[in-house]
Amino acid sequence: MKNKFLITSPLHQTWPKNKNSQLVICSESAVINFKKLQENYKNFIINKNKWENKKKLLKDFNYLEDLYERLLRQISNKLNKYHSIKEQTEFWRILIGPWLGNFIHIFFERWQNVDSCKKKFKNIKNISIDFNYEDFIPYDHNEFVKYSFNDYWNQFIYQNICGEISNKKNILKVKKNAISKYLKKNNLELKFNKKKFSFFKLIKYFFDFTNKKNNRYFFYKTYLSLKDELKLNLKFNQLPILEIKYEYLKKKKINYEFREKTNLVGLNRNKFEKLLNKNLFFQIPSLFIENFEHLILFEKKNKLPSNPKIIFTSNAAWFDTHVTYYIAKMQSKKTKIFYGQHGGNYSISKILWPEIHEKKISYKFLSWGWRDKGGKVIPLSKFKSFNIKKTTNNELLIMLKNRQRYFYSMDSSAGTESFSSYLNYISSFMFKLQPSIKNRAILRLPANEDIKSFDIYSKLEKKFNFRTSNSLINAFSRSKLIVHTLISTSINDALNANLPSIIIIRKDHNPINLNAKKVFKMLYDANILFYDPIKAAKYVDTIWDNNRVELWWNKRKTQNAVKIFCKHFAKDNTYLIQNLNKIFREN
């Protein structure tokens, strides 16, 4: 009888040396390359992603939203007591909400993977690594995000979920510095030469030099261009804040006693909640517990407005925990928080947790054109213009999504189905194109994406042209036709610039928000949107030659669909600064 091993990550130490072993791979995230997997192991099964069934996704999302609210209230009380403070739940929603929401989603997805495998396969084993808890407690939310894409962190989380199937014979020792080295590796880290001089850095230094304590408005990470950022601030007789610096303070030791003894009430509805209760406080960033004083000192010593009337940001309350704390404190003082849209799938995806969170923490939410019930959303426009000068090139630009191996956040338009499903779906379009068009196709990967990590079947690299070196504006300008393969900002940019485009998505994998359904029906009727990749390829074949792309794109029906889409999701921003000025003065 062959031994069965549960595989939870691609770390080679956790894979059996016996190539005849049966592998139960709990998630596709553990597989780097299918070809190498098939060469090394003949007997393996990859667990299916249950969220490809969007009815289950919606059911689980609603359950996790209820769980999030229950946890938020209890954790807020625990942290208030620990720090001897009396902050409201809404303060903690702003501060710990991004981490708490993401961790619950991640932990549930990993637990669901393991649970389904254990139910299907009996007498299953796994090879574990002897980890130290302290190595995996993040400092802040930004570090948590980096950890969540790291193989060692995910192996650690999976081991805590696997529990009893990790026997002593299969526990490996790994050098601590090896773990630290790999934890620093992540696909969100920006690599650049810090010593390199730039005019932009000089501008940031100049603006940072001035004291902003008396400013009545705090505009930061607004998603505006530098030019518009300056214009907006000058409207209120102040200089922009482009960069916020804070002092790195010595970290305190982890309070294991508090973390171990702290349990939340009522987390006993199912096995998942009981397991979550055991693990939750060992994953809370130390900045919320042991190093909370760092946040207090930052708020006291920074040069930011001491009592602003309005804060306007589009993503500052996500990854910079120090600034998030400042925003939470100002909101407690009755400062009005205006949050701006910073992604193309807002109000389009049926489920988008960041949108839900941002609307909850804001006084008003500024959209790119769409409205919502309740009056909290102000329909505005795109925050950045996308100016294109067309060239005579005849390229077919295919916009691809990156392979985000590990699930991170609830979004019904990306990340809740297996990457192989997406890749097979889009590949069927590309291989069905006529050879003459296929030769003109340029496959564009997101920045810093590696071709080999994307091409997991090793079928595309030698048959298609990949290019990521030029800017998106340059890539768009060289294209006769743009193919969008996911709901993203590139669609909003292209249609706002009136560039010939088609969208190819799986209907069952991309449930659309009720507000967007009528608009997407118009895109479908105008042959801009396709749910069938084969039909999309045939349509591209029919319009490619003899100026037929322009003829189709300039049809009244096509242009009307584009205009309606832009009105709701990519409105022109000609009067953006004037409109922002009016909104902030009237509030």
Side-chain angles (χ1 to χ4, degrees), residues 174 328 554:
V174 176
N554 290 319

Side-chain angles (χ1 to χ4, degrees), residues 312-326:
F312 167 44
T313 183
S314 291
N315 55 20
W318 275 102
F319 304 118
D320 191 334
T321 309
H322 289 75
V323 177
T324 304
Y325 174 81
Y326 165 79

Side-chain angles (χ1 to χ4, degrees), residues 381-538:
S381 62
K382 280 179 89 274
F383 291 172
K384 289 182 180 177
S385 57
F386 203 77
N387 299 318
I388 295 288
K389 291 183 179 179
K390 290 290 289 180
T391 67
T392 56
N393 289 47
N394 291 322
E395 293 180 348
L396 177 68
L397 181 66
I398 303 176
M399 301 291 293
L400 301 171
K401 78 173 184 178
N402 68 323
R403 187 193 175 191
Q404 184 177 296
R405 284 199 297 116
Y406 292 105
F407 162 81
Y408 173 69
S409 182
M410 287 288 200
D411 176 357
S412 62
S413 67
T416 53
E417 63 278 332
S418 64
F419 182 76
S420 59
S421 296
Y422 163 82
L423 192 56
N424 285 325
Y425 188 75
I426 297 306
S427 294
S428 63
F429 163 77
M430 295 188 291
F431 282 110
K432 199 67 178 179
L433 293 168
Q434 289 181 8
S436 59
I437 303 175
K438 198 186 300 181
N439 292 335
R440 303 298 302 169
I442 301 295
L443 276 58
R444 184 180 179 86
L445 293 170
N448 301 321
E449 178 69 76
D450 180 66
I451 293 173
K452 294 190 182 300
S453 67
F454 175 86
D455 190 14
I456 56 177
Y457 291 111
S458 305
K459 294 179 180 179
L460 301 174
E461 187 176 1
K462 295 180 180 178
K463 296 180 182 179
F464 289 92
N465 298 312
F466 285 82
R467 187 196 297 151
T468 56
S469 57
N470 60 340
S471 69
L472 186 60
I473 289 178
N474 181 262
F476 275 15
S477 68
R478 297 173 60 152
S479 304
K480 183 176 184 177
L481 180 64
I482 304 167
V483 179
H484 307 272
T485 64
L486 72 158
I487 306 299
S488 68
T489 308
S490 69
I491 297 175
N492 308 68
D493 289 337
L495 297 192
N496 178 263
N498 204 18
L499 301 175
S501 300
I502 65 169
I503 305 163
I504 307 172
I505 56 173
R506 275 186 65 164
K507 193 171 187 178
D508 57 334
H509 282 182
N510 293 269
I512 300 300
N513 190 311
L514 187 63
N515 294 338
K517 281 190 174 181
K518 287 184 179 180
V519 178
F520 270 61
K521 178 67 166 58
M522 294 182 72
L523 295 177
Y524 180 82
D525 292 340
N527 291 316
I528 297 173
L529 173 64
F530 290 87
Y531 296 118
D532 185 330
I534 307 303
K535 286 183 178 179
K538 289 179 179 178

Side-chain angles (χ1 to χ4, degrees), residues 47-63:
N47 189 37
K48 290 184 179 179
N49 189 331
K50 291 189 175 183
W51 283 343
E52 292 197 3
N53 179 340
K54 299 306 176 184
K55 287 184 179 179
K56 175 166 176 50
L57 174 66
L58 184 59
K59 181 181 177 181
D60 288 345
F61 176 74
N62 290 332
Y63 161 68

Side-chain angles (χ1 to χ4, degrees), residues 325-341:
Y325 174 81
Y326 165 79
I327 292 172
K329 288 297 290 184
M330 295 303 103
Q331 194 258 8
S332 298
K333 295 179 181 180
K334 307 303 178 184
T335 294
K336 294 177 179 178
I337 312 299
F338 283 74
Y339 221 91
Q341 181 177 339

